[in-house]
Amino acid sequence: MTVRITTSLLSLARRSSKLRSLGNNFTRNTRSRLFSTAVAAEEPIAPPVQVNLTQLLIDGQFVDAASGKTFPTLDPRTGQVIAHVAEAEAEDVNRAVAAARRAFDNGPWPKMTAYERSKILFRFADLLEKHSDELSALETWDNGKPYEQTSKVEVPMLIRCIRYYAGWADKIHGLTIPADGSHHVQVLHEPVGVAGQIIPWNFPLLMYGWKVGPALACGNAVVLKTAELTPLSALYASNLLLEAGLPPGVLNVVSGFGPTAGAAIASHMDVDKIAFTGSTTTGKIVLELAARSNIKNVTLELGGKSPFIICEDADVDEAVELAHRALFFNQGQCCCAGSRTFVHESVYDEFVEKAKARAMKRVVGDPFKEGVEQGPQIDMAQFEKILRYIRSGIDHGATLEAGGERLGDKGYYIKPTIFSDVKVLAFFNSNFQVNHKQVMMLNSARQDDMPIATDEIFGPVQSILKFKDLDEVIRRANQSPYGLAAGVFTKNLDTANTLTRALRVGSVWINCYFVFDAAIPFGGFKMSGLGREKGAYSLQNYLQVKAVVTPLKNPAWL
């Protein structure tokens, strides 16, 4: 009997255990002060890891880009260069796809027994565990997320994901089905061939596992593009996969930019399937390129503006903490963040005051420091985008309760920001005669039209909205073009069931948030994507179905 451990990304905030030692300089003087400019202004801690892999991985070898070009990957704490990484373009993608095609058509990987493939994946997971300190440090350095989060949550989840799909490798099978007449009918589940994969910068290692794990378990070859902002951890992990015994060409990793390397993968005629995680705008481009080329199968995990609904029976203190973590986790850079906090009017004022107090206590600073909850945003572009949204909220009349500005003068740190009183935009003409009830209905319909309430900000900005009853909050929650996730906080089972079935989203968390498990499918409704990742459902993304029919001569039975 196996036991499945469900990991909550939010459980990290409840733990206060110390970082594992990664060198003398790492743990010395690391206790952070609360929400002070001095935290961000202190000299950054030297990461306890060396960057040794910056080239492209093609056909089992780390090589330079054909053009010789490189691009810098930056430390979000300072904006300074960590390393220069090989910049892939169309010619490099062609080389990578050709290597993957050879590996799939002529190499040992698809002809290997499923059990042998599973053993390689299990060895890979063991190596990830052995080198988890280095992986965690690279992820924090390149991305800016807290080391405690990376080392205690994300890298263990990556390892669990790889082991989950290693276990699936020899359990993928087809069917034998009855048919009318004397025929033997088999349904085969075959690998699609060469899978193109494009991963984002907010969770580089987790997205690497979500994509590479099922693709390899099904026997495919892969060409994966890392995000240009965070290429380092995937290169390190891929080298461990080679060490585990993966044949050359089965996994190829290219680092580069979307309009060049990403577009080349999505439009390549010899790529059989594309999986993309990123913005909805870019997802549309990927879908179009896939259709214009060879109509390759597409999986998309895109943006979100997820509602977090706090009902009138909620324990306000618990609701404040859960809503806080649902939004501010990972610097708010999470596609399924609970970024629309709907609070019942009976507890609204109390909730706002306590949410403000919690935000002011949030520890912001160097992500390598012990106790830090929030590091810097990923880069200057994201940093400036978030500040523009904050100015927009102020300009549109929302009440800025906390934060709203940069923290320190170095790096991309932003104070945790909270808005209340998302007000109705002025849209009534004085000659437009409506009764009071119509005004209230129209105000409710337009209440959430502010950009801070409709757009995916992808930053530490919480919008707190007031609602009267379930019908209203269901309608408002579903008005978004996104449908990735939702949270519900209530003690009433009937209320939970009503909301669970009414919300048009791919995941609903009841009295919890960000609970992920390798077996739980994840994906969205509407403009939040196509298909599902994780669990058994993701295997369908990397398999083709073939029916084989054979006549039976004088069968003893049918």
Side-chain angles (χ1 to χ4, degrees):
M1 178 178 179
T2 60
V3 178
R4 179 177 300 133
I5 300 175
T6 300
T7 303
S8 171
L9 294 181
L10 293 177
S11 64
L12 177 64
R14 297 187 182 275
R15 298 196 296 266
S16 60
S17 57
K18 293 184 177 180
L19 298 172
R20 283 173 290 174
S21 176
L22 282 177
N24 293 333
N25 293 329
F26 185 69
T27 56
R28 186 181 298 129
N29 299 323
T30 60
R31 184 65 67 182
S32 297
R33 284 161 283 179
L34 299 182
F35 205 85
S36 68
T37 302
V39 172
E42 291 173 354
E43 191 65 26
I45 294 173
V49 67
Q50 297 294 320
V51 177
N52 297 317
L53 297 170
T54 59
Q55 296 173 293
L56 313 177
L57 174 58
I58 298 177
D59 206 13
Q61 300 293 322
F62 285 94
V63 297
D64 292 331
S67 66
K69 289 183 181 179
T70 63
F71 65 92
T73 184
L74 306 180
D75 183 344
R77 301 174 302 164
T78 62
Q80 296 176 350
V81 176
I82 298 173
H84 288 86
V85 180
E87 181 180 340
E89 296 179 330
E91 182 176 349
D92 304 294
V93 170
N94 288 338
R95 289 192 293 159
V97 172
R101 177 56 61 190
R102 287 193 300 272
F104 183 76
D105 289 346
N106 305 312
W109 183 249
K111 301 175 181 64
M112 194 180 293
T113 68
Y115 177 59
E116 289 298 320
R117 288 200 300 270
S118 76
K119 289 200 295 184
I120 290 174
L121 291 175
F122 275 121
R123 285 198 296 270
F124 177 42
D126 292 342
L127 287 169
L128 291 172
E129 195 163 51
K130 179 180 178 182
H131 295 276
S132 60
D133 289 347
E134 295 93 325
L135 282 164
S136 300
L138 281 174
E139 191 85 329
T140 291
W141 193 7
D142 211 14
N143 177 276
K145 63 181 64 192
Y147 179 83
E148 288 187 349
Q149 172 186 321
T150 306
S151 63
K152 296 176 182 177
V153 178
E154 294 184 21
V155 170
M157 288 180 70
L158 165 66
I159 296 165
R160 177 68 181 94
C161 179
I162 296 301
R163 286 183 174 140
Y164 176 84
Y165 286 109
W168 262 112
D170 60 353
K171 299 170 187 66
I172 298 168
H173 56 79
L175 299 170
T176 300
I177 59 176
D180 295 339
S182 300
H183 293 91
H184 175 72
V185 181
Q186 301 176 73
V187 176
L188 305 179
H189 294 169
E190 300 182 351
V192 295
V194 175
Q197 301 178 329
I198 302 173
I199 61 175
W201 51 259
N202 58 332
F203 292 100
L205 282 173
L206 279 179
M207 297 303 102
Y208 176 95
W210 287 16
K211 287 180 169 54
V212 169
L216 295 184
C218 292
N220 297 282
V222 172
V223 176
L224 179 138
K225 189 191 91 66
T226 63
E228 61 271 20
L229 297 176
T230 53
L232 299 180
S233 58
L235 291 170
Y236 191 99
S238 298
N239 191 47
L240 297 179
L241 189 45
L242 294 179
E243 185 179 338
L246 190 75
V250 176
L251 174 65
N252 305 272
V253 179
V254 294
S255 302
F257 296 87
T260 50
I265 294 172
S267 61
H268 204 290
M269 294 297 292
D270 216 16
V271 171
D272 302 302
K273 189 264 182 314
I274 187 80
F276 170 80
T277 296
S279 73
T280 296
T281 299
T282 305
K284 291 179 179 180
I285 297 172
V286 170
L287 192 61
E288 180 180 358
L289 291 174
R292 287 182 178 274
S293 52
N294 55 348
I295 318 184
K296 56 179 66 67
N297 178 275
V298 179
T299 303
L300 301 174
E301 197 268 281
L302 306 176
K305 190 70 175 177
S306 300
F308 187 96
I309 300 170
I310 297 163
C311 299
E312 59 185 318
D313 63 344
D315 180 308
V316 174
D317 291 333
E318 290 184 5
V320 165
E321 183 61 27
L322 190 61
H324 177 87
R325 290 180 276 143
L327 185 283
F328 292 106
F329 175 76
N330 206 52
Q331 293 73 252
Q333 297 170 154
C334 185
C335 56
C336 56
S339 52
R340 289 185 292 157
T341 308
F342 287 100
V343 182
H344 191 271
E345 62 180 4
S346 65
V347 295
Y348 185 85
D349 292 340
E350 179 185 1
F351 182 94
V352 170
E353 285 304 310
K354 290 184 175 180
K356 174 182 177 180
R358 176 63 180 91
M360 294 297 292
K361 293 178 181 177
R362 187 168 182 81
V363 183
V364 184
D366 190 323
F368 281 107
K369 289 176 180 283
E370 181 184 355
V372 162
E373 297 177 276
Q374 180 178 316
Q377 308 307 131
I378 184 67
D379 69 349
M380 180 60 75
Q382 186 66 16
F383 173 82
E384 292 179 341
K385 172 189 169 185
I386 295 165
L387 292 178
R388 285 196 300 272
Y389 272 110
I390 292 172
R391 289 192 294 270
S392 168
I394 296 170
D395 291 344
H396 283 95
T399 300
L400 179 64
E401 300 283 354
E405 60 186 355
R406 179 177 195 161
L407 178 61
D409 57 4
K410 181 187 292 186
Y412 311 126
Y413 296 91
I414 293 178
K415 293 182 179 180
T417 298
I418 291 183
F419 281 104
S420 65
D421 300 325
V422 179
K423 297 185 182 301
V424 182
L425 299 179
F427 66 97
F428 288 115
N429 185 294
S430 60
N431 296 320
F432 180 45
Q433 301 298 314
V434 294
N435 62 36
H436 178 72
K437 184 176 180 180
Q438 289 173 317
V439 170
M440 294 301 293
M441 290 177 63
L442 288 168
N443 282 354
S444 176
R446 294 298 300 268
Q447 182 176 359
D448 310 330
D449 280 358
M450 287 185 177
I452 60 171
T454 60
D455 296 1
E456 185 179 38
I457 300 173
F458 230 59
V461 181
Q462 184 179 27
S463 295
I464 307 177
L465 311 172
K466 186 186 296 184
F467 74 93
K468 281 182 173 293
D469 54 45
L470 288 186
D471 289 341
E472 176 195 335
V473 77
I474 288 168
R475 173 172 49 78
R476 290 169 64 188
N478 285 335
Q479 280 177 341
S480 172
Y482 300 112
L484 191 55
V488 173
F489 201 88
T490 180
K491 299 174 183 176
N492 189 306
L493 181 60
D494 291 334
T495 298
N497 285 334
T498 296
L499 289 169
T500 297
R501 285 158 176 75
L503 295 171
R504 299 194 62 227
V505 298
S507 297
V508 181
W509 287 294
I510 306 295
N511 297 330
C512 61
Y513 210 83
F514 287 145
V515 177
F516 289 96
D517 184 281
I520 300 174
F522 182 77
F525 289 15
K526 299 185 283 185
M527 292 177 67
S528 287
L530 301 171
R532 293 294 180 269
E533 297 197 290
K534 299 196 296 119
Y537 289 88
S538 69
L539 299 172
Q540 300 170 13
N541 301 329
Y542 298 99
L543 294 170
Q544 296 192 105
V545 177
K546 177 186 289 183
V548 180
V549 182
T550 306
L552 294 173
K553 300 297 183 182
N554 302 316
W557 53 270
L558 290 174

